[in-house]
Structures are given as structure tokens and as C-alpha cells.
Amino acid sequence: MIPVEVMRQAQQEFLDWNGMGVSVMEISHRSKEFKVIAEESKQDCRELLNISDDYEILFLHGGARSQFAMIPMNLMGDNKKAAYMQTGIWSELAVKEASRYCQPDIVVHGDATHYRSIPEPKAWGDFSNAAYLYYVDNETVHGIEFPYVPDSGDVPLVCDMSSNIMSRLVDVSKFGLIFACAQKNLGQAGITLVIIRKDLLKRKKMPFTPSMFDYALQAENDSMLNTSPTYSWYMLGLVLKWLKKQGGLTAMAERNNRKAKKLYDFIDQHDFYSNPVEKAFRSRMNVVFNLADKTLEERFLKEAKAAGMMGLEGHRYVGGMRASIYNAMPEEGVDMLIDFMKTFSERAA
Ligand SMILES: *Cc1c(COP(=O)(O)O)cnc(C)c1O
């Protein structure tokens, strides 16, 4: 979801942005007017996540998956090994992509538990000689989330926060690089936020790294090496302002915790539904659940859709159901789903 207030504002100024008599889509990304959007979104990210000047903030094309390649290309230096925690589908795909450019060493295998929990730190393999340690903070498909920031020692910690960025405050100083596509918590598809510690920009790149994939070059050019996805950037800027108006990330975290707790509590109290994830690792963003009677799933989805609730089918990799309750999902949306789940279980039982 995108906050309704944000979409209303975008609608209202669609044809006439900033009193210019044209759409924001029609102006140059290099115009002084657009530069205000670019500067303010950087500043708002800094404020919301408390990001120090030791970090560069980039807004890039290519979605989260381009980062799967950019990270090894830019961060391997002369090292051959990179360490990966494999805790779900998105980290699996990142390992697969990285293996085209380096030797990804899987130091944490979550698949022993079918991605229902995360092994404890003492069971992790040695990563002390790796170029970086990579993990996915929230595995969107399996509905599991790290309840803590992994301690990576001196090894730069690289994190895919695509599906939980800005859902709570994190200590950015613990990370070497954080990235997130916009379309889950920051607006619409087409732009990806990258927060990178400045010293990492100096690492030797792989010689074939395309200029568009070069973090240092993008940083030097204020993320405008070529034409930026201006409308996605504009929407992202509006979402950041909306987040600030909500009271920032402390307020968002409280709201997100409340939403998730309500839904998990309901599932736990009704045998008709179940959630497979170990409690400590349950995602606050993606609540996966199954019906005790699988044959009712199709009917569940159909009736939910008729009641105005879309997108509840689980990811094609895992099936079942998944309620994605990102930042912009209001608490009433969760209440509505719980009401529906309750009456459905009564009707279908
Ligand atoms: C959605 C998602 C991606 C993929 O994002 P794209 O922008 O489609 O490449 C990667 N990682 C995680 C954790 C995601 O949730």
C-alpha cells in the first residue's frame, strides 16, 4: 500500500506541480526544482534513520535485485570470499547472483528449519576473512525477521532491508551498507535506496563493473549519472514526509508492533489458522498463515477479495496465505482482516 494522503497529494498536483504548470514527470531531473526533491529526500532519510555523515545515501535504478550484483562488484576488492546468511528465498537469490562474481560462503543455513527460524550466533560459520557479511533483515516470502542486528565484528555488514526499511529505528552505524527497493515500505517501484559507509566507496571495483553499477561514480554524481526515475523519487519523497508526520520511526514501530501482535494473537488463538514461524523470528511486516483445512484456501481468498481484501495469497514459492502489513497499512486494515478471518472460520467450520 501507499498512504492514501500521499496518493491524494500526488493526484492533486499531478498536472501542476509546485505551481510550475507542468507535472513533476515533465521537468528535468537536473532542474533546480527537482534537485530540491533529491536533496530533501536525502535529508529526510538522514533524519528518520539518524544517519551520520559517514554514510552516503543513493537513489538508484534497478530494484533490489540489481544490488545482488552491485554488492560483490563494488565490495569484494581483492578478497575472493563473501559471507552470506541464507535464511530464505531472497538470500538464496542473492547467493545465486553473487556466485557469478565471487565465492559466496554460506555461513548460516536457515534451510535446516525450512526457514522457520534463524540459527543462533554460536552456530554460525566463521566469516572473519570475508569481504562482507550479507543478510536479509526480513525474509518477505517466509515471514521471518531478525529480532536483532547481527554482530559482524570488523567485517562490513550488508543488509537487504527491502521489506522492512523504516518500519522501526535501526542503528545504521552498525552497517556497511543497507539497501531497499521502494515498493514495499517507501512508495512505488522504480527506485532503490542505498545507504553506504563512505570508506566502502573506495574499495577496488571489479574491472567490468558497469558505470551505472558503480557506487562511487553514482555518489560523485548525486545518483544522477543518467536520467533518474523522477516520479518514483518524487513519490518516495512524499512517503518520507508522511513518515515524519506520523511521528517518525519510533511511532511507526509502535504501530507496526501493535498491528502484527493483533494478527498473530488471533492466529494463535484459533486452531482453524496457523503460522509456521518460530515466535522470536516472526515478521512484523509479512504474516504468513495456513488454514488447517487446505481445501478451503481458494474459497478463503475468493471471499476475502469479495470483501475488499486483495493480495492475501502466499508467494508462489511457498503457497498458503500472507498478509503484508507494511507501514502504510492502517490498523483498521488489520482489524478488518481479523474480523473476516473470524467470520470465515465460523461459516466454513
Ligand atoms: C521484494 C524484495 C526484493 C526484490 O525487489 P525488486 O525491486 O523486485 O528487485 C529483494 N529482497 C527482498 C527482501 C524483497 O522483499
Side-chain angles (χ1 to χ4, degrees):
M1 290 183 77
I2 294 177
V4 178
E5 297 97 301
V6 165
M7 290 195 286
R8 279 221 185 88
Q9 184 179 345
Q11 181 187 43
Q12 205 191 353
E13 53 196 31
F14 192 69
L15 296 177
D16 178 10
W17 179 72
N18 208 15
M20 293 172 77
V22 292
S23 170
V24 67
M25 280 186 282
E26 296 175 294
I27 64 170
S28 164
H29 61 296
R30 298 194 196 280
S31 62
K32 69 175 194 308
E33 289 85 0
F34 191 81
K35 280 200 175 129
V36 172
I37 292 181
E39 261 319 303
E40 283 187 4
S41 49
K42 219 184 218 188
Q43 204 44 49
D44 289 340
C45 277
R46 280 206 195 280
E47 270 179 47
L48 282 160
L49 276 168
N50 222 342
I51 305 171
S52 81
D53 283 340
D54 295 338
Y55 289 80
E56 191 60 70
I57 299 173
L58 305 173
F59 299 93
L60 304 177
H61 297 269
R65 284 183 79 150
S66 292
Q67 298 304 313
F68 296 0
M70 284 177 77
I71 286 160
M73 282 180 189
N74 284 271
L75 300 187
M76 288 309 292
D78 289 321
N79 207 326
K80 294 258 180 306
K81 285 208 166 166
Y84 280 76
M85 301 198 197
Q86 193 166 285
T87 56
I89 289 289
W90 287 115
S91 37
E92 265 183 36
L93 290 169
V95 167
K96 201 168 156 202
E97 183 71 17
S99 65
R100 299 164 67 115
Y101 309 104
C102 66
Q103 294 167 16
D105 205 2
I106 301 170
V107 293
V108 176
H109 273 279
D111 51 1
T113 58
H114 307 282
Y115 300 135
R116 286 171 190 159
S117 72
I118 295 164
E120 48 187 309
K122 65 171 188 264
W124 299 354
D126 176 34
F127 53 80
S128 52
N129 293 319
Y132 56 83
L133 175 65
Y134 182 104
Y135 83 109
V136 181
D137 205 36
N138 182 65
E139 279 282 0
T140 324
V141 171
H142 303 276
I144 67 177
E145 188 172 16
F146 269 81
Y148 54 85
V149 176
D151 180 1
S152 65
D154 292 335
V155 176
L157 186 61
V158 172
C159 183
D160 179 353
M161 267 189 212
S162 289
S163 52
N164 67 349
I165 187 105
M166 307 241 182
S167 67
R168 61 181 170 196
L169 204 52
V170 289
D171 182 355
V172 173
S173 73
K174 290 182 174 164
F175 295 84
L177 187 153
I178 295 171
F179 69 94
C181 54
Q183 66 267 25
K184 279 135 188 168
N185 258 347
L186 299 177
Q188 66 178 58
I191 194 159
T192 297
L193 170 68
V194 176
I195 303 164
I196 180 170
R197 216 173 59 210
K198 284 177 181 163
D199 62 294
L200 296 175
L201 294 171
K202 299 193 186 95
R203 284 202 177 174
K204 191 171 95 188
K205 277 152 274 293
M206 295 186 181
F208 49 79
T209 304
S211 7
M212 284 297 294
F213 272 26
D214 182 330
Y215 290 132
L217 205 53
Q218 289 286 8
E220 278 163 34
N221 288 277
D222 294 324
S223 309
M224 290 187 188
L225 195 57
N226 76 332
T227 312
S228 298
T230 50
Y231 202 75
S232 298
W233 202 334
Y234 155 80
M235 286 296 278
L236 185 147
L238 294 186
V239 171
L240 296 175
K241 300 222 178 288
W242 177 83
L243 285 169
K244 283 169 70 177
K245 222 160 69 190
Q246 304 307 301
L249 302 191
T250 314
M252 288 317 295
E254 273 170 29
R255 189 204 287 185
N256 287 325
N257 288 342
R258 211 162 48 229
K259 277 154 50 185
K261 183 174 185 314
K262 260 188 195 177
L263 192 46
Y264 284 119
D265 281 351
F266 173 82
I267 291 169
D268 289 343
Q269 285 155 14
H270 291 78
D271 291 340
F272 195 87
Y273 302 100
S274 65
N275 168 277
V277 181
E278 215 174 278
K279 280 190 180 156
F281 305 105
R282 284 174 164 181
S283 166
R284 298 158 309 123
M285 298 281 103
N286 310 97
V287 179
V288 296
F289 59 95
N290 293 100
L291 272 57
D293 179 356
K294 274 201 176 315
T295 62
L296 289 171
E297 289 189 351
E298 209 180 305
R299 182 175 152 204
F300 179 92
L301 289 171
K302 205 169 140 213
E303 292 185 17
K305 196 167 177 189
M309 284 165 283
M310 297 163 67
L312 281 166
E313 59 276 15
H315 193 277
R316 59 201 150 88
Y317 284 127
V318 293
M321 313 290 159
R322 176 176 56 163
S324 289
I325 49 174
Y326 296 124
N327 273 348
M329 170 65 72
E331 204 161 337
E332 303 84 75
V334 175
D335 293 338
M336 187 175 158
L337 174 62
I338 290 173
D339 275 347
F340 172 79
M341 287 169 76
K342 196 156 179 248
T343 54
F344 183 84
S345 68
E346 288 159 6
R347 255 181 293 134

